[in-house]
Amino acid sequence: MNPNPTKARQARRSKKRTQPGTLNDARALLWRALSRAGDLLDAEDAEGQPDTHTALRAIHAISQGAAAYARIIEVGELEARLAALEAVSSEPQPSGPQLGRGAA
């Protein structure tokens, strides 16, 4: 009998997990989903009539997906700006007294 089944179960779960995706992976996947939902807006039923149920579900999916896509784009831009600031702040600063512009 296993003295600690919880630990064994956690080990099995960790083996199944894959590496996390990147922000670009999520952005590309979400864009494909939005494109597919856009195609569903024009879906027709078996008689060739507009399928309003599918269209309404597509509209909801698009509104939710567009909000998530906007957040992903915003986070990506913020990460780039933060990296640029970190690069500037990590540059060696000259030693000695610093005088600002216009100092008398």
Side-chain angles (χ1 to χ4, degrees):
M1 180 166 201
N2 188 352
N4 194 348
T6 303
K7 207 169 206 174
R9 188 170 45 251
Q10 289 172 342
R12 276 194 309 272
R13 284 184 186 156
S14 68
K15 287 180 184 177
K16 290 180 183 178
R17 291 187 188 132
T18 61
Q19 293 294 326
T22 65
L23 195 58
N24 282 334
D25 294 340
R27 183 185 53 78
L29 182 65
L30 190 53
W31 183 253
R32 284 197 339 250
L34 283 169
S35 296
R36 177 73 173 115
D39 293 342
L40 292 174
L41 281 174
D42 299 325
E44 296 177 348
D45 61 13
E47 291 86 34
Q49 298 297 317
D51 187 355
T52 55
H53 180 70
T54 301
L56 289 174
R57 290 175 63 107
I59 290 167
H60 178 73
I62 290 168
S63 66
Q64 295 295 309
Y69 189 79
R71 285 192 303 273
I72 286 175
I73 296 298
E74 181 181 353
V75 167
E77 290 173 353
L78 289 173
E79 282 183 348
R81 291 173 64 190
L82 180 60
L85 286 172
E86 287 174 343
V88 168
S89 69
S90 67
E91 291 176 359
Q93 300 296 319
S95 59
Q98 300 291 315
L99 296 177
R101 291 186 182 182

